[in-house]
Amino acid sequence: MASTNGTPYGTPSFTLVGLPDLEATHFWLGFPLCAMYLVAIVGNCTIVFVVKTEPTLHTPMYFFLCMLAAVDLAISTSTMPKMLSLLWFDAKEIGYRACLVQMFFIHSLSGVESTILLAMAVDRYVAICHPLNHSTILTNSVMAKVGLVAVVRGVAFFLPLPLLIHRLSCCKSTILTHSYCLHQDVMNHMLGSKMPNIAYGLTAILLVMGLDSLLIFVSYMMILKSVLQLQSREERLRASGTCVAHVCVVLAFYVPLIGLSVVHRYGKGLNPLVQVTMSNIYLLVPPVLNPIVYGARTKEIRKRALKIIRVGRKRDPQ
């Protein structure tokens, strides 16, 4: 039974899944996932702390990196605690409204992250192609506005997703395909006309992630053209080297996203483990990988982090 506005009464919760056919190993799989979560927390908090305390890092690239770290922390925190409770305590149920809230945070934060990645690509383009105007174009006020636009854009485009789900009614099967709530997964377990959900979900993805990825690609084509016009090989390597970390982060975000979308639409006959694995990679890997990539590729962050570690050791009473 369901009310007229779609809120379920007879089935007030959904059932999440862990890793299909690997239920016996759920308890032990929780430990590496917990380790990944801790790495994401420590790594992203370290980046924010290093940038905040080091005046030489108060530049657009590092401010955008702090925004990216904050979003990664929010995404991992919105999913990992529930996933760990599922693996360790077999807490598979998630309330209907809690599921919609988690869905909103996952999709909206992904939209925010996509916008920030685009802003970082534009920052690299201006720094390489128009270095003399970089400080006048990307001022502190501009960066603050970019951050605000990223949040507003993510919320505006993806807030309708849980509202569109709320208008539907639950069917008998409420066992989801993933370890957290995604719009398409929840939609497949609802009754009613799903065309508005499908149309709007596709439109939102194309206007946010699709448009952002296209603009990032265009930015790097222009960067590549500018780099190839440099006279010396050293200058070309130095200019392109500043983009390596960002390219890795972009690939870590968009490749799993594209793979998950393809699996959702064309992988109906695949083993459920493939879908679950792809969804976990999409949400869990970028928050862990991003601080590692920037820490390894950025000398300033690496030196400052090592300095903090050395100071901590000196303060150790042992």
Side-chain angles (χ1 to χ4, degrees):
M1 295 295 292
S3 67
T4 55
N5 65 359
T7 303
Y9 289 118
T11 53
S13 63
F14 292 100
T15 301
L16 303 173
V17 299
L19 296 176
D21 303 324
L22 296 176
E23 287 81 3
T25 63
H26 275 185
F27 180 79
W28 300 110
L29 289 173
F31 289 100
L33 287 180
C34 182
M36 290 177 63
Y37 184 42
L38 293 176
V39 169
I41 292 176
V42 173
N44 287 290
C45 287
T46 299
I47 284 181
V48 173
F49 178 77
V50 167
V51 173
K52 180 182 178 181
T53 57
E54 185 59 51
T56 59
L57 300 182
H58 292 178
T59 61
M61 182 179 75
Y62 295 109
F63 281 135
F64 287 139
L65 181 57
C66 283
M67 296 180 193
L68 185 67
V71 173
D72 283 338
L73 283 171
I75 288 180
S76 57
T77 301
S78 66
T79 56
M80 187 62 77
K82 181 60 182 176
M83 191 178 301
L84 290 175
S85 68
L86 186 157
L87 295 176
W88 281 341
F89 309 110
D90 202 32
K92 297 180 178 179
E93 286 197 0
I94 182 171
Y96 174 79
R97 288 179 175 80
C99 185
L100 296 188
V101 170
Q102 187 185 62
M103 178 198 307
F104 164 71
F105 277 110
I106 290 173
H107 289 288
S108 61
L109 289 171
S110 297
V112 174
E113 180 159 353
S114 179
T115 305
I116 293 173
L117 291 175
L118 172 59
M120 296 174 77
V122 173
D123 169 68
R124 291 298 84 207
Y125 164 74
V126 175
I128 293 174
C129 301
H130 304 282
L132 298 179
N133 298 325
H134 184 255
S135 59
T136 58
I137 294 175
L138 291 172
T139 61
N140 289 339
S141 62
V142 169
M143 289 184 291
K145 291 175 183 177
V146 169
L148 180 61
V149 168
V151 174
V152 171
R153 187 174 182 236
V155 172
F157 273 96
F158 293 103
L159 179 59
L161 293 184
L163 300 179
L164 287 170
I165 289 292
H166 192 64
R167 51 178 281 275
L168 301 174
S169 303
C170 278
C171 61
K172 292 182 179 180
S173 175
T174 57
I175 302 176
L176 301 180
T177 309
H178 301 295
S179 305
Y180 43 80
C181 297
L182 292 176
H183 172 255
Q184 188 168 355
D185 189 17
V186 176
M187 178 189 68
N188 291 335
H189 293 80
M190 306 296 284
L191 297 175
S193 176
K194 301 175 184 177
M195 186 53 64
N197 299 67
I198 296 172
Y200 186 83
L202 181 60
T203 301
I205 289 292
L206 291 177
L207 290 179
V208 179
M209 284 76 163
L211 180 60
D212 290 351
S213 60
L214 177 61
L215 293 176
I216 290 173
F217 177 77
V218 172
S219 298
Y220 273 102
M221 288 299 99
M222 298 173 70
I223 290 172
L224 180 61
K225 179 181 177 181
S226 180
V227 168
L228 293 177
Q229 291 175 348
L230 296 175
Q231 297 298 322
S232 67
R233 182 173 180 270
E234 289 74 16
E235 288 179 332
R236 292 194 293 269
L237 289 175
R238 185 167 59 251
S240 59
T242 62
C243 301
V244 172
H246 181 253
V247 171
C248 293
V249 169
V250 168
L251 293 176
F253 178 79
Y254 284 105
V255 171
L257 173 63
I258 294 171
L260 182 60
S261 299
V262 171
V263 167
H264 266 151
R265 284 165 175 76
Y266 306 109
K268 301 300 182 183
L270 292 176
N271 189 315
L273 182 61
V274 176
Q275 291 194 29
V276 175
T277 303
M278 286 297 300
S279 65
N280 289 342
I281 290 175
Y282 165 57
L283 280 190
L284 303 182
V285 170
V288 176
L289 191 61
N290 292 350
I292 294 176
V293 169
Y294 270 98
R297 292 293 310 177
T298 309
K299 181 175 65 176
E300 293 83 357
I301 291 180
R302 187 169 62 251
K303 288 172 60 177
R304 181 63 178 173
L306 291 175
K307 182 178 178 180
I308 293 173
I309 293 174
R310 287 195 294 268
V311 170
R313 287 179 176 177
K314 288 180 181 179
R315 292 178 178 178
D316 193 329
Q318 293 182 349

